[in-house]
Amino acid sequence: MADQQFKEPYNILHFLGLVAVLLIPTAPATLTWIKILTQ
């Protein structure tokens, strides 16, 4: 039971970290597209 309680938050944190790492490089591109589209 202790393993299950530990794995769940760890998997959530690992998933959120993975999403953050994947989104960080796309942030400048997203901002650039927003600037292009709003002109």
Side-chain angles (χ1 to χ4, degrees):
M1 285 201 178
D3 288 342
Q4 289 177 352
Q5 289 176 355
F6 175 75
K7 284 180 182 177
E8 244 182 88
Y10 175 77
N11 286 338
I12 292 168
L13 289 174
H14 181 76
F15 176 74
L16 290 176
L18 180 64
V19 170
V21 168
L22 291 175
L23 289 180
I24 286 167
T26 65
T30 303
L31 292 173
T32 302
W33 273 110
I34 290 170
K35 288 179 184 177
I36 292 170
L37 293 173
T38 54
Q39 285 181 351

